[in-house]
Amino acid sequence: KVGKVISDDLSSARPMNRLLQGDVGSGKTVVALRALLQVVDGGGQAALLAPTEVLAEQHYRSLVTMLGDLAAGGMLGGSDIGTRVDLLTGSLGAKQKRAVLGRLAGGETGIVVGTHALLSDNVQIPFLSLAVVDDQHRFGVDQRDALRANGGVNLLVMTATPIPRTLAM
């Protein structure tokens, strides 16, 4: 039911601003993946923002595992109908970071998982259609809005423990 509501929101002309609340292990990441794929299938790019490198790497591994060869679009051995999933964190080496930034800016990456590094001025995601924020209480309103700065970007905030301000919004 939640996946259907989010899918309908993503199909709407008005940008989504939705909270996805559920206990740890309840399937929030699977629901988010469905939304990420809907956006990519429509020609957009999507970002999943995590508060720590450990959590970003965990999300990245989970998405790649769930998608299998569909997560390696454009790569040798990847599916022809897949998309590229990349990881962007502050600890990436300069060469790796340049490569990820180039793929993002060029539209080659469909889904990027990252930390606050995604909010840097040098990160360009020209077709960003969906920003998923995990553990929202570690990010300020300004940081979440930075992902939506180019307008029309849908926002899905995932949490197990919503803060009162988020519930009020």
Side-chain angles (χ1 to χ4, degrees):
K1 182 178 179 180
V2 172
K4 171 82 170 99
V5 169
I6 291 171
S7 178
D8 291 346
D9 282 351
L10 291 173
S11 299
S12 169
R14 192 177 72 210
M16 175 179 72
N17 186 10
R18 185 161 296 278
L19 173 68
L20 176 58
Q21 178 185 348
D23 291 335
V24 173
S26 64
K28 295 183 298 290
T29 303
V30 174
V31 171
L33 176 58
R34 178 178 171 176
L36 295 167
L37 292 174
Q38 180 177 342
V39 164
V40 170
D41 194 43
Q45 290 173 290
L48 195 161
L49 183 63
T52 66
E53 290 200 12
V54 170
L55 189 54
E57 289 169 4
Q58 180 182 345
H59 277 305
Y60 173 76
R61 283 192 309 272
S62 293
L63 295 181
V64 168
T65 298
M66 285 189 275
L67 290 173
D69 65 349
L70 291 173
M75 297 171 60
L76 185 63
S79 171
D80 293 337
I81 60 169
T83 189
R84 185 172 193 118
V85 179
D86 269 320
L87 176 66
L88 182 64
T89 63
S91 68
L92 277 183
K95 184 177 179 181
Q96 287 177 299
K97 193 175 288 186
R98 274 193 308 275
V100 171
L101 291 174
R103 289 192 296 267
L104 276 171
E108 295 172 50
T109 297
I111 299 171
V112 62
V113 180
T115 57
H116 289 79
L118 284 173
L119 303 173
S120 298
D121 290 337
N122 63 335
V123 176
Q124 297 175 14
I125 311 174
F127 307 109
L128 183 64
S129 298
L130 173 64
V132 176
V133 179
D134 191 14
D135 209 2
Q136 99 291 351
H137 58 278
R138 304 244 186 124
F139 296 98
V141 173
D142 292 339
Q143 291 172 314
R144 291 194 303 257
D145 287 346
L147 282 171
R148 303 172 72 195
N150 60 347
V153 176
N154 297 284
L155 178 65
L156 177 63
V157 176
M158 302 189 307
T159 188
T161 56
I163 58 176
R165 177 179 167 78
T166 301
L167 285 175
M169 290 170 43

